[in-house]
């Protein structure tokens, strides 16, 4: 045999090793990726496959059981509104105004800023009863008062976090640490969305940058595929940055570019099986479709003048009022989860937040009318029947005055208070005109029907047609859930 036909044994061994490594790596990227995709497409209702094409991960899916809610509008008041100035009427606290705080309120407790022995502080605004059931409400919310019979007010909320960022993460992701999927991501993961030309989860921010101490993780997808993360939009100017075509590029040319990119991505997915490649294809296609529909959905100038006046909305501006009107327009268009953030409720009594006597008054003035208009509009259009509206912050405020270093302040404030706070819900099978739960006579602790944050999440998912224990996602060897591993209960008492 000639030298040209002989094979060097060492070279043959190296070639076999190289082929083996290439085969392993190819299977590792493609095989494991395909395995991950199959697991990611597992039906949260109990192991069946999603009826979705891989390129349409947001296509609508049925819930596990008959649902009262089809969509959610979550109104987050960043910084934590004072329940004692708005919903939780405490005449005894006013009676003891200025008295030294009881030792039982301080012993073994942690506060964000309180030092020494603070004084109890009565509510700063008058309360009165309203509605068919005589619900107590502050005079700071005259417009919402007219919708009081639509509300289910939960006065017995509790959390285990007393700083903003972890408390906000807990409220919106079910965990006080970053890296977990947000409530809106879980909902779109389970249900998809009814409008394939708009994101399933849209975030509207009205002031203060991100309007949240915890930032973008509040609407992030965490360990879920990134297609389920919230998409921040604006109610003024370009709804989504960089959505429009660059100058000189036509829509037809944009289509050609996307076709070429999709071909490359599909080839990449075939070779490596990375499920994020599927997400990327879906997001590019969504962006192309959104160019036409997003601008129309966000353009409130199409609304009649009387509707704009009812909300207090002004086209071309960024405001909570505009965002409330946009939220109704998005709900009409089948968006699954709409999250509004409004910052400035952190009423410590500093020149920055201007306390309860100035800052909270301003926040109420900015949000009261639009919130009431949103509820009225949803109800008039038949949307409140299957839209779950939630309003609230991340914790409450203390019944004692904040006492930083014992110095008197120009502005009156209260410190963070995880032991008791108030939220309200409306629509989608929630009992209307109900006040649920109670705090003690001074508003310090919950004494009846406590509701933990995870209970709120379990109840919301139930109204959307999901068992919170079965809506899960495999990650790091665990079946991850919004409600985590601690016990959570559905608050049936508030459901019609």
């Amino acid at each position: 045999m000639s030298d040209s036909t002989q094979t060097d044994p060492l070279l043959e061994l190296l070639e076999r090793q190289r082929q083996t490594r290439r085969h392993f790596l190819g299977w590792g990227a493609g095989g494991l990726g395909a395995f991950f995709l199959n697991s990611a497409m597992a039906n949260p209702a109990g192991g069946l496959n999603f009826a979705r094409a891989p390129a349409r991960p947001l296509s609508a899916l049925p819930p596990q059981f008959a649902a009262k809610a089809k969509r959610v509008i979550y109104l987050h008041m960043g910084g934590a509104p004072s329940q004692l100035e708005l919903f939780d009427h405490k005449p005894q606290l006013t009676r003891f105004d200025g008295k030294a705080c009881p030792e039982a309120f301080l012993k073994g407790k942690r506060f964000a800023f309180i030092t020494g022995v603070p004084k109890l502080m009565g509510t700063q605004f008058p309360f009165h009863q309203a509605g068919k059931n005589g619900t107590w409400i502050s005079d700071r919310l005259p417009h919402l008062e007219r919708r009081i019979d639509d509300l289910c007010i939960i006065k017995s909320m509790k959390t285990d976090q007393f700083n903003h960022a972890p408390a906000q993460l807990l409220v919106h992701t079910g965990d006080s640490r970053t890296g977990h999927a947000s409530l809106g991501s879980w909902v779109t993961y389970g249900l998809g969305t009814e409008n394939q030309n708009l994101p399933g989860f849209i975030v509207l921010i009205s002031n203060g940058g991100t309007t949240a101490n915890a930032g973008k993780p509040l609407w992030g997808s965490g360990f879920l595929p990134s297609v389920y993360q919230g998409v921040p939009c604006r109610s003024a100017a370009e709804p989504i940055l960089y959505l429009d075509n660059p100058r000189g590029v036509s829509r037809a040319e944009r289509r050609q570019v996307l076709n070429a990119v999709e071909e490359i991505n599909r080839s990449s997915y075939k070779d490596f099986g990375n499920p994020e490649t599927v997400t990327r294809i879906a997001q590019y296609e969504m962006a192309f479709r959104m160019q036409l529909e997003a601008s129309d959905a966000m353009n409130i100038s199409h609304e009649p003048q009387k509707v704009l006046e009812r909300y207090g909305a002004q086209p071309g501006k960024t405001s909570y009022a505009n965002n409330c009107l946009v939220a109704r327009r998005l709900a009409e268009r089948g968006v699954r989860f709409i999250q509004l953030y409004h910052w400035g409720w952190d009423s410590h009594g500093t020149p920055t937040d201007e306390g309860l006597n100035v800052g909270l008054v301003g926040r109420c003035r900015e949000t009261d009318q639009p919130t009431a208009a949103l509820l009225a509009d949803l109800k008039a259009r038949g949307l409140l029947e299957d839209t779950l509206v939630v309003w609230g912050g991340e914790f409450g405020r203390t019944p004692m005055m904040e006492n930083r270093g014992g110095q008197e302040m120009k502005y009156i404030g209260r410190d963070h208070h995880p032991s008791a706070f108030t939220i309200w819900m409306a629509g989608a099978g929630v009992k209307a005109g109900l006040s649920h739960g109670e705090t003690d006579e001074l508003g310090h602790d919950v004494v009846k029907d406590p509701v933990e944050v995870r209970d709120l999440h379990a109840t919301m998912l139930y109204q959307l047609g999901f068992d919170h224990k079965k809506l899960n996602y495999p990650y790091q060897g665990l079946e991850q859930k919004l409600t985590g591993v601690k016990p959570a209960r559905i608050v049936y008492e508030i459901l019609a």
Side-chain angles (χ1 to χ4, degrees):
M1 186 178 294
S2 65
D3 293 341
S4 62
T5 60
Q6 291 179 346
T7 302
D8 188 314
L10 179 60
L11 292 176
E12 184 177 1
L13 175 62
L14 292 174
E15 177 62 23
R16 284 203 305 270
Q17 289 177 336
R18 185 162 56 249
Q19 290 176 347
T20 301
R21 286 195 299 272
R22 184 183 302 116
H23 180 269
F24 173 77
L25 291 173
W27 180 86
L32 284 179
F35 174 78
F36 174 82
L37 183 62
N38 288 334
S39 65
M41 301 296 274
N43 189 341
L48 300 175
N49 288 335
F50 270 124
R52 282 178 177 152
R56 301 191 70 186
L58 284 173
S59 56
L61 290 173
Q64 294 172 340
F65 47 81
K68 296 291 183 67
K70 288 185 177 181
R71 68 196 69 83
V72 176
I73 298 177
Y74 199 121
L75 311 172
H76 180 79
M77 306 295 109
S82 173
Q83 75 282 6
L84 297 169
E85 268 64 49
L86 299 178
F87 297 106
D88 202 7
H89 180 47
K90 295 299 169 187
Q92 284 293 89
L93 183 61
T94 300
R95 177 186 173 192
F96 290 102
D97 181 66
K99 302 294 184 182
C101 180
E103 183 181 357
F105 285 12
L106 305 174
K107 189 175 182 179
K109 301 293 179 65
R110 299 175 66 190
F111 298 96
F113 296 102
I114 282 179
T115 59
V117 180
K119 296 177 181 179
L120 293 174
M121 183 171 67
T123 183
Q124 300 301 297
F125 307 108
F127 272 73
H128 58 275
Q129 291 178 286
K132 296 178 181 177
N133 296 325
T135 304
W136 288 98
I137 189 169
S138 162
D139 72 347
R140 296 297 91 190
L141 302 171
H143 293 276
L144 190 64
E145 177 185 327
R146 298 170 194 161
R147 313 306 314 175
I148 198 73
D149 289 329
D150 293 327
L151 306 185
C152 174
I153 301 173
I154 303 175
K155 299 179 179 180
S156 52
M157 289 296 303
K158 300 179 67 174
T159 179
D160 56 12
Q161 300 297 321
F162 65 92
N163 283 326
H164 293 293
Q168 289 167 0
L169 284 167
L170 182 62
V171 166
H172 293 291
T173 74
D175 198 289
S176 60
R177 302 162 296 178
T178 58
H180 292 259
S182 61
L183 174 58
S185 295
W186 277 111
V187 173
T188 51
Y189 163 64
L191 291 175
T193 186
E194 296 176 324
N195 189 333
Q196 297 301 303
N197 296 330
L198 289 170
F201 178 12
I202 289 182
V203 177
L204 299 168
I205 300 168
S206 50
N207 59 3
T210 64
T211 77
N213 302 75
K216 295 178 181 178
L218 295 181
W219 54 84
S221 58
F223 40 74
L224 293 177
S226 57
V227 71
Y228 300 113
Q229 69 186 348
V231 177
C233 295
R234 304 184 299 171
S235 56
E238 188 179 0
I240 300 176
L241 293 176
Y242 314 117
L243 182 65
D244 293 343
N245 292 328
R247 183 178 300 175
V249 176
S250 68
R251 185 168 174 80
E253 290 170 328
R254 181 69 166 261
R255 179 70 268 174
Q256 289 179 336
V257 171
L258 288 179
N259 288 343
V261 171
E262 180 177 344
E263 184 177 346
I264 295 171
N265 282 331
R266 289 190 179 280
S267 176
S268 175
Y269 178 71
K270 181 179 179 181
D271 290 340
F272 301 106
N274 186 344
E276 280 299 308
T277 306
V278 175
T279 290
R280 193 179 307 122
I281 294 171
Q283 288 173 330
Y284 283 149
E285 289 300 317
M286 171 72 76
F288 184 73
R289 297 192 301 270
M290 282 175 62
Q291 285 185 325
L292 298 179
E293 188 146 350
S295 296
D296 175 69
M298 303 289 174
N299 189 355
I300 64 173
S301 64
H302 297 325
E303 294 286 339
Q305 184 61 32
K306 63 179 181 180
V307 173
L308 296 174
E309 293 173 356
R310 190 182 309 140
Y311 280 84
Q314 296 177 288
K317 293 188 176 182
T318 298
S319 69
Y320 178 81
N322 284 17
N323 286 347
C324 281
L325 182 48
V326 169
R328 187 268 287 165
R329 292 172 63 84
L330 293 174
E332 285 181 312
R333 287 162 172 77
V335 174
R336 187 70 71 185
F337 200 98
I338 305 155
Q339 179 81 65
L340 274 65
Y341 285 95
H342 190 70
W343 183 246
W345 296 88
D346 193 19
S347 305
H348 286 289
T350 68
T352 302
D353 61 63
E354 298 183 311
L356 302 168
N357 51 333
V358 178
L360 181 135
V361 172
R363 301 300 80 74
C364 289
R365 186 167 51 246
E366 293 160 359
T367 61
D368 177 40
Q369 179 180 342
T371 302
L374 173 61
L375 290 172
D377 214 354
L378 290 172
K379 191 169 186 177
R381 295 166 186 265
L383 288 167
L384 193 60
E385 294 179 5
D386 54 13
T387 301
L388 184 62
V389 183
V390 183
W391 178 99
E394 59 267 29
F395 43 61
R397 313 304 297 197
T398 58
M400 45 278 203
M401 179 184 294
E402 187 171 315
N403 186 18
R404 295 192 188 184
Q407 297 179 357
E408 294 294 330
M409 296 183 179
K410 177 181 177 181
Y411 302 107
I412 301 170
R414 301 184 188 274
D415 203 357
H416 306 169
H417 192 54
S419 299
F421 66 106
T422 297
I423 70 163
W424 59 255
M425 306 172 73
V430 173
K431 287 182 179 177
L434 177 70
S435 288
H436 179 77
E438 292 180 13
T439 56
D440 60 44
E441 290 185 333
L442 300 179
H444 187 268
D445 290 304
V446 173
V447 295
K448 182 181 179 182
D449 298 327
V451 179
E452 301 281 351
V453 171
R454 56 185 174 273
D455 300 334
L456 172 66
H457 290 162
T459 305
M460 292 178 66
L461 291 180
Y462 181 79
Q463 292 305 91
L464 288 158
F466 286 100
D467 181 341
H468 67 95
K469 292 176 287 187
K470 294 181 180 179
L471 180 62
N472 50 49
Y473 188 85
Y475 178 69
Q476 292 187 340
L478 296 174
E479 293 295 331
Q480 303 286 348
K481 298 181 285 292
L482 172 64
T483 50
V485 297
K486 294 182 179 180
R489 73 180 186 93
I490 298 165
V491 189
Y492 290 108
E493 305 94 300
I494 71 170
L495 303 180

